[in-house]
Amino acid sequence: MPVFKPFRGIRPNLDFIEVFPTYSLDNFTQEEINKKAHVEDSYIQMIKPAVVSKSKDVDRNLRKIRSNFEELLQDKKLAQDDSAYYLYEQTLPDKTSFRGLMGLVSVDDFWEGKIKKHESTITERRMKMAHYLEKVGVQAEPVLLTYHSNSKVELLMNHEQKNVPIINYTDDKGVRHKIWRIDNRLKLQQFKEVLDPIDSFYIADGHHRIGSVAEYAKKQRDKYKRSHGTEHYNFVFSFIVSNQSIKINDYNRLLKDLNGLSDEDFLEKLAEDFQIHDKGEAPYFPSQKFHISMYLGGRFYSLHVKHTMRETYKNENDLDHHLVNKYIFENILGIENAKHTDKITYLKGTSDINGIIELKEKVDSGEYKVGFGIYPISFTDLLKISDMEIKMPPKCTLIEPKLITALIMYDMK
């Protein structure tokens, strides 16, 4: 199995538990980040030199973040535990619950393919994040990994949840966060034994985070030739969840024009590769894979992928996203590379009709000409794509749980 080991987690003192953690900065505007950076003893205040500072001396800003982190530790606003696994449960306002284990995985397993990926990463972003780790040395948000459910792991987690959690609070979005620390030697051994049969972990979210740790580790190994693979910089802070505790939502597409085609011409060209069914004005959520929802000219259409197209890709990338890219965006609309174009806008879905209604509203506003609702990728397809080392098109999966930053952290120094 891939290495999954306990670690000395760092977490906010209970007096600061409602102030310190945050959702990913991607969720906020710069104006919101500026306001949050003034909240006393918050994570965003800790990293303020990188997200708000006007200084262009990057290394100086990053050193200041490390200094802020160490000061919070010294002042006991942050505390470091003894080596442990952490059981984490997240419960949404609608009572949907996700749970799994926090620990460390090895960059060697990532390089050797025991931790499998389905996305390519942007080199510039990966290297920038690696430089951050080199100077700051703190991993504040875990990589989300998944695996086939194991009843023995589930049983141990059930038993652990009978104990009192070390963290239990509800954030301002109504999401409840609970964490149990597992540091008893016997329990650690029990978890290790039930995790051992797992052959592979699959990256669900965090390709750039794990890639940046791998870049940093490589640089350190080149620098220190006697690396044994056990040094702190060789490990990635991770949250492992089974297929029972993961939800893959749809990611839909919007386009502003039809590249000069009329609605009629566009529908005619679509008919070459899709069976088209007029669904009328009522919002239509695709019922299964190979059924695509399209909203055009005030009407919904169901595009059924023809059998010949499925056969062409049945042993390769037969994701609906790939087929839309190939047969609609590229062949009809002349968009040769969906990854490098400003003609496509990606819209987060909700795995139900609500995401389709939002897509309709965007088109009805006149900002967009056509929208495509795509059925969510299955867990099986996610693993198949990863096993075959095929890279998905951009923005195919919107995966839950969405993890909070700085609830538990890993110090690489």
Side-chain angles (χ1 to χ4, degrees):
M1 68 161 285
V3 170
F4 185 70
K5 67 174 215 166
F7 69 108
R8 299 190 66 200
I10 294 172
R11 54 191 172 89
N13 182 299
L14 291 181
D15 292 337
F16 305 101
I17 193 64
E18 296 186 10
V19 176
F20 192 79
T22 179
Y23 284 92
S24 170
L25 298 188
D26 295 340
N27 292 284
F28 307 119
T29 65
Q30 186 59 50
E31 183 179 356
E32 289 171 329
I33 291 172
N34 293 344
K35 289 180 180 179
K36 290 177 179 293
H38 289 92
V39 176
E40 193 72 21
D41 298 319
S42 67
Y43 174 76
I44 293 181
Q45 185 184 65
M46 186 187 94
I47 64 168
K48 181 178 177 181
V51 297
V52 176
S53 176
K54 296 178 180 179
S55 171
K56 295 184 179 180
D57 188 337
V58 174
D59 285 0
R60 181 182 178 185
N61 291 338
L62 297 182
R63 287 194 297 270
K64 177 58 178 171
I65 293 174
R66 179 69 197 187
S67 175
N68 290 344
F69 170 73
E70 292 178 352
E71 185 176 320
L72 288 167
L73 271 173
Q74 185 175 353
D75 292 344
K76 301 189 184 307
K77 294 176 180 179
L78 296 178
Q80 186 167 33
D81 294 324
D82 291 332
S83 187
Y85 289 130
Y86 297 87
L87 169 58
Y88 170 54
E89 180 186 58
Q90 180 186 107
T91 305
L92 306 184
D94 65 3
K95 306 305 179 184
T96 299
S97 182
F98 306 100
R99 72 172 183 181
L101 296 167
M102 290 180 175
L104 302 182
V105 299
S106 167
V107 293
D108 288 293
D109 287 331
F110 175 64
W111 286 324
E112 292 170 11
K114 295 178 184 178
I115 299 173
K116 301 186 178 185
K117 55 187 178 181
H118 64 259
E119 289 181 6
S120 56
T121 54
I122 301 168
T123 301
E124 182 181 357
R125 183 181 174 192
R126 191 176 66 246
M127 298 305 291
K128 182 179 179 181
M129 292 172 69
H131 186 71
Y132 177 94
L133 292 175
E134 180 180 1
K135 300 301 180 183
V136 177
V138 177
Q139 295 181 44
E141 183 179 335
V143 173
L144 181 63
L145 303 177
T146 189
Y147 61 95
H148 284 291
S149 179
N150 178 314
S151 61
K152 293 181 179 179
V153 178
E154 299 297 323
L155 188 63
L156 282 181
M157 290 194 292
N158 288 342
H159 183 73
E160 195 61 37
Q161 284 187 274
K162 295 177 182 178
N163 298 321
V164 177
I166 60 169
I167 291 176
N168 183 358
Y169 85 103
T170 302
D171 66 29
D172 56 10
K173 291 186 177 183
V175 179
R176 179 171 288 278
H177 307 272
K178 290 184 179 180
I179 290 184
W180 292 260
R181 184 177 63 232
I182 305 165
D183 55 3
N184 176 278
R185 184 176 298 180
L186 176 59
K187 289 183 179 181
L188 290 174
Q189 183 59 33
Q190 288 175 329
F191 271 100
K192 182 181 184 307
E193 288 174 358
V194 298
L195 289 168
D196 273 346
I198 298 173
D199 293 328
S200 304
F201 291 132
Y202 295 82
I203 304 174
D205 189 30
H207 284 79
H208 281 91
R209 288 195 295 279
I210 195 168
S212 65
V213 178
E215 291 286 354
Y216 174 49
K218 182 178 183 303
K219 184 174 180 179
Q220 292 298 100
R221 290 186 181 195
D222 289 342
K223 183 177 179 180
Y224 304 107
K225 302 297 183 182
R226 294 184 179 179
S227 174
H228 300 290
T230 57
E231 297 83 358
H232 292 313
Y233 56 75
N234 289 299
F235 295 94
V236 186
F237 177 29
S238 301
F239 180 51
I240 61 170
V241 296
S242 77
N243 57 301
Q244 292 184 7
S245 270
I246 195 170
K247 183 179 181 182
I248 306 176
N249 296 305
D250 47 322
Y251 229 127
N252 302 317
R253 277 89 168 109
L254 293 158
L255 286 91
K256 292 188 175 181
D257 63 67
L258 297 179
N259 198 30
L261 295 172
S262 66
D263 291 4
E264 293 74 18
D265 289 340
F266 183 56
L267 287 167
E268 185 177 332
K269 289 183 177 294
L270 282 173
E272 295 176 11
D273 297 306
F274 299 89
Q275 295 175 353
I276 303 175
H277 302 274
D278 190 331
K279 293 289 188 177
E281 298 180 0
Y284 163 67
F285 181 77
S287 56
Q288 62 187 59
K289 184 180 179 180
F290 298 130
H291 290 202
I292 296 158
S293 174
M294 182 179 75
Y295 184 62
L296 173 70
R299 302 189 71 80
F300 278 92
Y301 299 87
S302 174
L303 308 182
H304 292 195
V305 180
K306 287 186 177 179
H307 186 73
T308 53
M309 289 171 58
R310 301 185 203 179
E311 284 298 308
T312 301
Y313 291 98
K314 70 177 182 179
N315 294 320
E316 299 177 34
N317 190 349
D318 65 350
L319 298 179
D320 288 351
H321 305 77
H322 172 75
L323 300 176
V324 167
N325 280 0
K326 176 67 179 175
Y327 289 97
I328 300 178
F329 295 166
E330 184 177 337
N331 289 2
I332 299 178
L333 300 177
I335 302 172
E336 294 185 1
N337 192 332
K339 192 173 182 179
H340 301 289
T341 182
D342 58 2
K343 293 185 177 182
I344 304 170
T345 296
Y346 298 96
L347 183 65
K348 295 177 180 179
T350 56
S351 293
D352 58 23
I353 201 68
N354 292 320
I356 299 298
I357 291 172
E358 184 179 359
L359 180 144
K360 177 183 183 298
E361 291 172 350
K362 294 281 187 182
V363 175
D364 285 344
S365 72
E367 185 179 359
Y368 298 96
K369 176 65 177 176
V370 62
F372 296 92
I374 304 179
Y375 192 74
I377 291 174
S378 68
F379 182 81
T380 300
D381 275 345
L382 178 72
L383 269 55
K384 184 187 81 170
I385 289 293
S386 302
D387 285 335
M388 295 176 68
E389 299 184 356
I390 296 172
K391 300 300 178 288
M392 290 185 185
K395 304 294 184 183
C396 289
T397 56
L398 178 62
I399 296 178
E400 295 181 275
K402 287 298 180 186
L403 299 180
I404 199 164
T405 301
L407 192 56
I408 300 289
M409 297 179 286
Y410 169 52
D411 187 5
M412 303 171 74
K413 297 292 188 183

